[in-house]
Amino acid sequence: MMFRLIKTARELRDLQHYIDSLDYDVQAHRQLRQQLDEAEGWRSQWQLLENAQSVTATAR
C-alpha cells in the first residue's frame, strides 16, 4: 500500500471526510449487525415456542 504526503489543507479535509464516511459505514454496519442478532434471537424464541406448542398438542 502506497502512502503519499498530504500537501494542502484541502487534501487534509478531503481525507478527513473520507475517514468520517468510513466511520459512518462501520457504525451503520454494527447497528445492522446488532439488529440482525436481535432478530435472530426472536426467531429462535419463536421456534422454541412453536416446538413446545407442537409437543403439547401431540401429547393431548
Side-chain angles (χ1 to χ4, degrees):
M1 179 181 233
M2 296 280 297
F3 294 99
R4 64 182 182 85
L5 186 62
I6 294 175
K7 297 177 185 173
T8 66
R10 180 185 175 113
E11 288 177 334
L12 183 58
R13 282 191 308 270
D14 290 347
L15 180 59
Q16 185 61 49
H17 177 72
Y18 176 70
I19 291 170
D20 289 343
S21 71
L22 289 178
D23 184 53
Y24 178 81
D25 289 345
V26 167
Q27 294 299 327
H29 179 269
R30 285 183 182 149
Q31 185 177 10
L32 287 172
R33 182 76 240 178
Q34 181 180 5
Q35 290 172 347
L36 180 62
D37 290 345
E38 289 172 7
E40 180 61 26
W42 281 109
R43 190 190 69 77
S44 295
Q45 291 296 320
W46 185 258
Q47 188 66 43
L48 288 171
L49 178 61
E50 285 183 330
N51 290 344
Q53 288 175 340
S54 174
V55 169
T56 303
T58 304
R60 290 183 185 170

